[in-house]
Amino acid sequence: MPRQKDVIVGMDLGGTSLRALVVDGRNRILGEAKTPTKVSSKPHKLIAQVADVVKDAVISAGLDHQDISAVSIGVAGAVDSAHGIVHEAGNLRWREVPLGSELQKLLGIPVLVDNDVNVGTVGEHALGAGRGAQNVVGIFVGTGIGGGIILNGKLYEGCRGAAGEVGHIVLQVGGPRCSCGRRGCAQALASRSAMERDVRAAIKSGKKSLVLKIMNEHHRKRMTSGIIVRALKQNDPVMTKVMKRAQHFLGILTANVVNMLDPECIVIGGGIAERLGEAFVRPIRESAIKYYLYKRDTDRVRIVPGSLGDNAGTLGAVVLARQRLGNL
Amino acid sequence: MPRQKDVIVGMDLGGTSLRALVVDGRNRILGEAKTPTKVSSKPHKLIAQVADVVKDAVISAGLDHQDISAVSIGVAGAVDSAHGIVHEAGNLRWREVPLGSELQKLLGIPVLVDNDVNVGTVGEHALGAGRGAQNVVGIFVGTGIGGGIILNGKLYEGCRGAAGEVGHIVLQVGGPRCSCGRRGCAQALASRSAMERDVRAAIKSGKKSLVLKIMNEHHRKRMTSGIIVRALKQNDPVMTKVMKRAQHFLGILTANVVNMLDPECIVIGGGIAERLGEAFVRPIRESAIKYYLYKRDTDRVRIVPGSLGDNAGTLGAVVLARQRLGNL
């Protein structure tokens, strides 16, 4: 039996869905709840929805809210984790929202808040593909590219809590425009959005591709990871070429990280990595090694796909909460 | 009076000169010796020369070699600091030289070896422009661009001892060829060598410049920091333009480091920074801030010129030796 007071609710607060896992002191999942995110101009409405999902998850675990030590949430955005404030979360249309204190009022349980990719990296380090390494960098490729850094076994957040933004490392001065407004960021060259932009441009210029047909068949307006994988399986020439180019850039990004931090492990996460695993990571690794300054002992820097998939963030949030609250 | 057993010899082993400082437990300089480096195909000859410089410095301090606790050397190259081995030092034409053990045999004193830019960063952190910060990145702009990283107050070396190679962060995929063989590295865009290449190309294409004349007057074959400063003072249009471009790239490099590590302090070191100080760093800072992802509290990330000049490496080597040997 788990000691009930070790039980923590880990939560993923994304623009698409809210997902909560109830996790015991041995990191076993006791319960779960999930619902589509209702983005609203009033943050308190979404915070009330978050509280409901937490309650549902606790009920699904057959527990009571008194059994829960803490709720720990990963949010896609700029977060002040010391004060539980979300400075900015574009997907949620939030600015300066005191999520931690507001949710704590509703639930009567300590609430911790951190960046979604930071908790994802903590998850992969503690329980996933980065286990056993002291220094790990997570690179999460999705709509954007996010990152997290573990140094000496602990999450490294930097002096403003802004560390790990590998997606905004400039790889190509004057390159394509990034959603952040600058040009040539890794995110503007190798994220899912960048790939979609390149696929659409190729189709517009007359190249033949199945991507739009597959999107229609699956009622998708965006080129999701699922669509990408289907197009690659059908050997779509445009998708294949665009993916190869993105992997080339992701390799250079990875090499920049290695030349800078020489970590023991780089975990490539996100939807595409989850679906394709080693087939996604192998070309990234091959491109990266070409750009290493030190060619010695390259095996000591492992470049691996994440192994926790969707659970990296929620489990990571739980692990981080345990570190922050001390051994409960 | 310094306790004699705290006295350490810090040394800079460069391709141009050997320089040793004798430093007491309060980091006061007691003695000094310097000589041009005699690069030879036989490493043991240069190691004997290093031993002589150490002895000269100790004599200049009025001390005996029994008064010295350790010799600590910074070498421009890839170093295994745990074993005192220089894997590769291009300027010295060294490969796999066991400098630590060989020199220890000659001197009968413990010898520590590290990368020159790592010890320079340690120096600026402990005694120079980075004092008081927990996380510091040193960016040294010279013939190449080197870097060092201090995290949580300590030198961070990475799993292969290869961390901090900021000069080989790719800023422009497919850009100009770097001395490392790859294209578009920061070093190929903004080092002194890159500036010299661009100045010579501009002159070749017909642009008027005083740089070659100034080099002749000072009997220089390369465009040293001194030449650069003289040309800028005379408002040489080619030098001014090339410098502006290099500062732009150094700003983007700095922003890449900030977006990745969010440190409290970035110290810009090397000969140009030593000579021009804030006039060199201000445009770098302005370019960097434009490329920050997080625009909040940008003042908390200080970008400053180094303050120790030539002594950063030698003093840093002493500080690092003290950390490694424990409190003597």
Side-chain angles (χ1 to χ4, degrees), chain A residues 159-160 164 170 256 262 300, chain B residues 159-160 164 170 256 260 262 300:
Chain A
C159 77
R160 298 173 299 158
V170 172
N256 277 355
D262 193 30
R300 286 175 63 186
Chain B
C159 77
R160 298 173 298 157
V170 172
N256 278 355
M260 181 87 189
D262 193 29
R300 286 175 62 187

Side-chain angles (χ1 to χ4, degrees), chain B residues 97-112:
Chain B
V97 174
L99 172 62
S101 57
E102 292 297 315
L103 190 59
Q104 196 154 329
K105 270 187 227 163
L106 293 179
L107 293 170
I109 305 170
V111 175
L112 293 98

Side-chain angles (χ1 to χ4, degrees), chain A residues 71-112:
Chain A
V71 176
S72 185
I73 309 184
V75 181
V79 172
D80 172 353
S81 62
H83 302 96
I85 294 166
V86 179
H87 286 311
E88 205 174 320
N91 287 339
L92 307 176
R93 290 188 248 138
W94 277 11
R95 285 185 77 92
E96 305 303 336
V97 174
L99 172 62
S101 57
E102 292 296 316
L103 189 60
Q104 195 153 330
K105 271 187 225 162
L106 293 179
L107 292 171
I109 303 171
V111 175
L112 294 99

